Structures are given as structure tokens and as C-alpha cells.
Amino acid sequence: MTTFYTKFFIAFAIFLCSYSAYSQNDFTAFFEPSFAVNHKVNGNYKVNFSTVARNYVYRDDEFEFTTRQFQFVHFSTYSFNSNHSLSGGIMYRFRENFEDSSNELRLTQQYNYAYRPTIVRFGHRFRSEQRITTNNTVHRFRYRFTIDLPLSGEKLDIGEPYFVANAESLLSIAKADSPQIDQRFTSQIGWQWTKSLKFQTGLEYRFENYNQTTQEILFILTSVVLKI
């Protein structure tokens, strides 16, 4: 099973890179590393803190490495049981320091439902967001469907890999602008290094504003998650 999903991930990466070679001139690629810390306060309540850096690696038909933004994120999650949870989050994105664009304050409300009928876990996530900048406030609504599974055996053990894939649709509404619809596809492979530390890497392909003028964006993702 590990070999199958590793080959699937490589094929997915080759497909995205090949597809982008024939895309429009507004194709952009980013490298986005992140670091997160999770802490379980009690049996139902946990908190998450993370930092994310977004860096250009390709734009305007040229390769480069330039930082676009840096952000801090906090989420608080209350779980009703192993399947249902509610979360609230706040994020501050620093962009003025790196390019001619406004910083952003983002508030997030989230409901998540996950279940595992077999070794595969299925997840449904619903989010609403308020993206507040100097000039505008955008209300965004998101739905994401996710699958994840261990790649060795029926459950994830220490030192073993796992596979995660999701598809997400987004609708953004602002008073002065036309509604914007986005679509995202993500595929990642992770490793549970220790009981409290895991690493993930993969690709995400976005079709932004495809109901008007589509912009295609590739993300190269890496993340380290520490549980304390």
C-alpha cells in the first residue's frame, strides 16, 4: 500500500508540474513551510499555534525566491466527541513588510466532522472567515473534503508514513467586488516521527477566481507539527 500511494503522489506531482508548463502567463508557484504546536488542554479542548511563510519560487515566467508574507495563527477547538468539533481562529498576516499590499486580520469559525469506517478516515470541514484589510472586508465560505490513511498496516504507528488528500471549494464575497470562486486540490505524504512530532510534505494546486479570470497557483508545502 505504501508503494501505491507513493507512486500516486509522484504521479500527482508530475501531472501538476506538466500542467503548469502549459498554463497561462499568470501561473505562480510558492514554497510554503509551516511550523505548528498543538496542546490538549483537557479531554475536549485543545489549542493550536502556527507560523507560516509564503515565498515566491516562480512568477512572470521566471524563477526566483522572494518572501511574500509571514503569518501567525491561533485556533481553539472544542470536541463534542471523536467525530464532531467546533473551532474558532484568529490570524494576522504580515505583507506590507514584503510587498505593496495590506496586512490582514482574519477571523475564522469552523465545524469539522470526521469518521473512520475502515482504515481510511473521511473528513468534512465547513469554514466561514472574515478577512479584514485596510481597504476591504471579505467574507469567505469554505468546504473541504479530506481522506487520510496509514500507509503501513491498519493504524498509524511511530515511524510510519501516512497519506492525506483533500479538495476544497471557496466562495468570497465583498461589498465592492464581484463574488469569487476558488478550487483547491492537495496531496501530501507525512511521517509520524515520534509520538509528539510529525512531518508532512506535498503539493497544492489552486484555481483562483475561476468564475471570472482564472489564476493558477502551485504550492510546495512542508510542515512540522509538534504536540506538547
Side-chain angles (χ1 to χ4, degrees):
M1 183 177 289
T2 304
T3 303
F4 171 79
Y5 282 100
T6 301
K7 289 181 178 178
F8 174 85
F9 177 79
I10 294 172
F12 181 74
I14 293 173
F15 167 76
L16 290 183
C17 293
S18 300
Y19 182 84
S20 66
Y22 295 97
S23 64
Q24 307 173 45
N25 290 332
D26 60 359
F27 170 76
T28 306
F30 292 102
F31 169 58
E32 189 169 275
S34 65
F35 175 73
V37 176
N38 296 331
H39 175 61
K40 192 170 186 177
V41 179
N42 55 44
N44 300 101
Y45 176 61
K46 65 180 180 180
V47 294
N48 167 273
F49 299 91
S50 63
T51 60
V52 183
R54 183 172 298 177
N55 308 278
Y56 288 104
V57 292
Y58 184 86
R59 64 171 169 171
D60 299 328
D61 298 324
E62 293 184 357
F63 290 96
E64 62 174 280
F65 191 89
T66 307
T67 300
R68 186 189 192 193
Q69 64 196 35
F70 189 80
Q71 62 197 42
F72 293 98
V73 186
H74 164 68
F75 266 92
S76 290
T77 299
Y78 181 83
S79 300
F80 297 97
N81 50 45
S82 60
N83 301 108
H84 303 268
S85 65
L86 288 176
S87 302
I90 183 169
M91 182 206 79
Y92 196 82
R93 172 176 289 170
F94 296 90
R95 190 175 284 180
E96 292 177 357
N97 306 69
F98 307 104
E99 63 180 22
D100 186 19
S101 185
S102 173
N103 291 346
E104 177 186 335
L105 173 66
R106 183 182 304 182
L107 307 177
T108 302
Q109 305 81 42
Q110 174 179 299
Y111 167 71
N112 192 75
Y113 171 63
Y115 61 101
R116 189 191 299 273
T118 58
I119 65 170
V120 181
R121 180 170 60 180
F122 301 92
H124 302 273
R125 191 184 75 180
F126 301 86
R127 272 187 179 182
S128 61
E129 298 174 334
Q130 300 78 48
R131 304 182 61 184
I132 304 167
T133 60
T134 304
N135 302 318
N136 200 7
T137 297
V138 177
H139 297 271
R140 187 159 70 175
F141 305 94
R142 308 170 57 167
Y143 166 70
R144 189 182 75 178
F145 174 71
T146 301
I147 64 168
D148 68 81
L149 69 158
L151 294 180
S152 298
E154 296 185 357
K155 64 183 183 69
L156 184 62
D157 295 316
I158 303 301
E160 293 184 344
Y162 58 91
F163 175 78
V164 183
N166 60 65
E168 184 173 24
S169 301
L170 304 89
L171 171 64
S172 300
I173 301 174
K175 185 176 181 180
D177 300 316
S178 300
Q180 175 178 322
I181 302 175
D182 305 334
Q183 185 67 49
R184 303 175 180 179
F185 299 96
T186 307
S187 177
Q188 297 190 77
I189 291 179
W191 290 267
Q192 187 71 46
W193 281 342
T194 69
K195 185 177 180 180
S196 58
L197 186 66
K198 66 180 180 180
F199 172 77
Q200 284 186 193
T201 185
L203 298 173
E204 179 176 280
Y205 206 92
R206 298 183 181 181
F207 299 91
E208 294 197 346
N209 201 22
Y210 71 81
N211 57 314
Q212 299 181 52
T213 304
T214 304
Q215 182 181 13
E216 298 168 20
I217 304 175
L218 175 67
F219 283 78
I220 304 167
L221 306 173
T222 63
S223 61
V224 175
V225 181
L226 174 66
K227 183 168 65 174
I228 60 174

